[in-house]
Amino acid sequence: QILYVLLALLVSAVIHEAGHALAAGAEDLRVTSVGGFIALVFPGAFVQIDGIEKLSVRRQLKVYCAGAWHNIATALVCAVLVVCLPVFLMPF
């Protein structure tokens, strides 16, 4: 069971960091590095964005909050899939 939890954390971290990277690209910023790590047993990820401190506070906030918004969108998609699961598993 723990492997499923770790896989879910890994997928969530990748989607979260992709949100930051996509928002940085929309603000014409350069992503200088992308990486992952394991802290104890928990997977994590990061993106390093060059020049974010030169943006206005509002534009910085857009990049910083993008990861959380991608987490919310992922949770909504997963919730819809769970609700629709009986339909997907129904025999024809």
Side-chain angles (χ1 to χ4, degrees):
Q1 298 290 346
I2 191 72
L3 291 177
Y4 293 121
V5 172
L6 293 176
L7 180 63
L9 285 172
L10 178 66
V11 170
S12 177
V14 168
I15 291 171
H16 177 95
E17 296 305 327
H20 293 302
L22 290 171
E27 294 295 331
D28 294 324
L29 296 174
R30 185 170 175 245
V31 175
T32 55
S33 65
V34 176
F37 59 90
I38 296 180
L40 297 176
V41 295
F42 301 107
F46 68 91
V47 292
Q48 187 173 4
I49 301 167
D50 193 30
I52 194 165
E53 63 279 348
K54 297 175 185 172
L55 293 179
S56 68
V57 173
R58 182 177 173 91
R59 292 174 72 193
Q60 284 182 28
L61 192 59
K62 178 181 173 183
V63 175
Y64 290 139
C65 291
W69 282 109
H70 278 75
N71 286 357
I72 292 168
T74 302
L76 290 174
V77 168
C78 289
V80 168
L81 290 175
V82 166
V83 169
C84 294
L85 195 59
V87 174
F88 295 148
L89 296 177
M90 187 183 320
F92 295 102

